[in-house]
Amino acid sequence: MTKLVLIGGGHSHAIALKMYYDNPIKNIEIILINEVKNTPYSGMLPAYIAGYYNFEQTHINLEKLSKKTKIKLIIDQVININPKQQKVICKSGKIIPYDYLSIDIGSPPKQSRIKGATEYSIPAKPVSTLLKEWDKIISKCHQTNQENINLNIIGAGAGGVELALNMFQKLTNLNTIKKVNITVISRNETILRNYNQLAINIVSKILKNKGIKVIFNTEIIEILPNAIITQKKEKISSDYTFLVTNPSPAPWLKNTEITLDEQGFILISNTLQSVSHKNIFATGDIATIKNYPCPKAGVFAVRQGKPLYQNWKLIVQGKNLQPYYPQSLYLSLIGTGNQKAVAIWGNLAYHSSWLWWLKDYIDKKFMKQFSI
Ligand SMILES: Cc1cc2nc3c(=O)[nH]c(=O)nc-3n(C[C@H](O)[C@H](O)[C@H](O)COP(=O)(O)OP(=O)(O)OC[C@H]3O[C@@H](n4cnc5c(N)ncnc54)[C@H](O)[C@@H]3O)c2cc1C
């Protein structure tokens, strides 16, 4: 029996496991190691924050998926890999041998350079922590009548602005707070740096209309319990500080012999195999495809699920693997919190309530495939 060990129950692994459920691979034993029982679906998270979806609607239940696919699920955190001995090392001390390995562990926001970030900020990932902290903030707001609430979001990419808009929606709907002050901090001269100018203009206008402040060209150097400090030594008052900065790779990967890119993400070829270890696959945010870099976004992690499953199957059968090429054009849908969304496609962008219905339809359809 060939042993395939999956680290992380991210988007690609969830899709590949659903395909395995539909078409099992012969003579294979699959073990999935994930640090939590429920893996979040990123597309629906901001709307969970706004209060439109509940936990079950936005999370893939890995326990149920594992039972249905007849694979073994281990709830643990992987802290190292020994590719020579073909072993995975877990935080609990468990050591799991493998013939083939597949890694889909996502990437938390970068925070190393900000003093106090570990103690006083809420990172967007792991999502389980973000949602727990958000639920605590909401119940505190329910219990106490506050005059003002000051929220700062460090990072002005799609995740940062979408969180800001959805947090604003939820907090203003509560009616227990008189003034909701949300500030988005960008280290660049713009928000949504990787998007077209039309999208930037549309989203900037929405933020402005809601009174969400954006501060540009600002680096945060320190986070305190009730404030954040900029590089110009300005102090901004902050009840809660969220980190939605660029994704960063898990630091323990440096201790493995797996070849990484200059930022520390696993370097893979078009067959989704590590360039240094052909029996190791990697997908989603944690992987960088050599010569075909693509944004670290859920949409790519999802798309890699199908070729990943196909290549698991081909490699155990001793056949040639199929290449995967990321698409250059892709649809981004940013929920603006008020049951409207901005769609971005190439140089186009549009804001409307029917785009929210489209986003809701796409996201619910994605989740429905796991109700097996
Ligand atoms: C607020 C926010 C909104 C976003 N919205 C969108 C969006 O609308 N569209 C979009 O395309 N992208 C969006 N993104 C980006 C998206 O979240 C990521 O690109 C996507 O989640 C990457 O998927 P993945 O499969 O690589 O990993 P993930 O979905 O992050 O899954 C990784 C899994 O591995 C587990 N894990 C991690 N480390 C270990 C370990 N050491 N051992 C065991 N298990 C481990 C984690 O618990 C998790 O379950 C958003 C991001 C944020 C922060």
Side-chain angles (χ1 to χ4, degrees), residues 42-82:
S42 57
M44 290 170 106
L45 285 181
Y48 170 96
I49 296 274
Y52 296 122
Y53 303 128
N54 61 32
F55 186 89
E56 283 70 33
Q57 284 174 299
T58 52
H59 286 74
I60 301 165
N61 184 331
L62 294 177
E63 227 170 21
K64 197 173 135 202
L65 187 62
S66 305
K67 240 181 225 159
K68 292 280 181 186
T69 46
K70 298 189 176 74
I71 67 153
K72 187 174 171 188
L73 172 68
I74 298 175
I75 302 297
D76 212 329
Q77 191 185 19
V78 171
I79 55 164
N80 210 345
I81 297 164
N82 184 332

